Amino acid sequence: MTGSNQNNLILFGYQSCGKSYFGKLLSRELHCPFIETDVIIEQFYREKYLEPLSCRQIANKLGEGGFRLLEMQAVDSIREVSNSVISVGGGTLINQENYSKVKKRGKLIFLDVEKQIIKQRIFKDGVPSYLNQHDPENSFEQMYDQRLPIYAKLAMFTVTLQDKSVRQVLDELTSIYTERDSK
């Protein structure tokens, strides 16, 4: 890949799949910055509304549309970033405009985790606003089934986390980082 922005690794996948966890570890290992669009969204919200909230709280307060506007601003804010590990939220790349911008900035890596693990992690802190509050189980199933083929299609690389140690996952991600060609 050519161009300064092409040296980024962009981790994506479902909420709670391990993007932040592996992103932080990988950035330390590669001695490069780690950037999370969710953190940028929280910063933008705090600056605008003078109130510190998590992404989940922001989505509940502003609704899907308001949250997605902040998300688009966060994507725009990373346009000059290079030689970094970047984590984007679970719904970021579903938006075609965000996808078009992000794919130019580096190697898109889908972190694939078993559905039941994702489900347990997502519901650990209650029902997120993007799921139907009256039927969260079915809503989760629909979201998962809808996004899986999209994620698979958008990915330049897929790293499956099942039955792998942290070291094995980091080695796989490092190998992708150092690889010169991608699809």
Side-chain angles (χ1 to χ4, degrees), residues 139-150:
S139 181
F140 169 81
E141 294 292 330
Q142 288 176 359
M143 180 211 59
Y144 185 92
D145 293 343
Q146 174 196 24
R147 287 186 180 182
L148 186 60
I150 295 169

Side-chain angles (χ1 to χ4, degrees), residues 127-139:
V127 179
S129 62
Y130 57 83
L131 295 179
N132 180 331
Q133 303 299 303
H134 302 292
D135 190 5
E137 297 281 329
N138 191 44
S139 181

Side-chain angles (χ1 to χ4, degrees), residues 71-140:
E71 185 175 65
M72 290 178 83
Q73 292 172 4
V75 166
D76 287 341
S77 77
I78 62 169
R79 90 178 142 265
E80 299 300 324
V81 170
S82 61
N83 298 313
S84 297
V85 176
I86 301 169
S87 165
V88 298
T92 304
L93 300 183
I94 302 298
N95 175 299
Q96 183 61 42
E97 187 177 337
N98 285 341
Y99 169 69
S100 295
K101 291 174 182 177
V102 171
K103 76 176 183 176
K104 296 174 186 173
R105 297 182 183 143
K107 297 175 181 178
L108 295 173
I109 303 169
F110 170 39
L111 296 184
D112 188 19
V113 179
E114 290 177 20
K115 184 189 330 187
Q116 281 310 114
I117 292 171
I118 295 296
K119 187 175 183 179
Q120 288 171 351
R121 290 176 182 172
I122 286 176
F123 285 110
K124 176 178 61 101
D125 296 324
V127 179
S129 62
Y130 57 83
L131 295 179
N132 180 331
Q133 303 299 303
H134 302 292
D135 190 5
E137 297 281 329
N138 191 44
S139 181
F140 169 81

Side-chain angles (χ1 to χ4, degrees), residues 5 7-12 18-28 31-41 43-44 71 73-89 92 102 105:
N5 290 341
N7 290 329
N8 296 312
L9 283 187
I10 301 161
L11 307 178
F12 74 97
K19 300 178 298 270
S20 297
Y21 177 76
F22 285 106
K24 288 173 186 173
L25 291 175
L26 186 62
S27 72
R28 276 189 232 126
H31 307 288
C32 68
F34 175 59
I35 299 165
E36 290 183 87
T37 57
D38 282 354
V39 170
I40 296 169
I41 290 167
Q43 289 171 344
F44 286 168
E71 185 175 65
Q73 292 172 4
V75 166
D76 287 341
S77 77
I78 62 169
R79 90 178 142 265
E80 299 300 324
V81 170
S82 61
N83 298 313
S84 297
V85 176
I86 301 169
S87 165
V88 298
T92 304
V102 171
R105 297 182 183 143

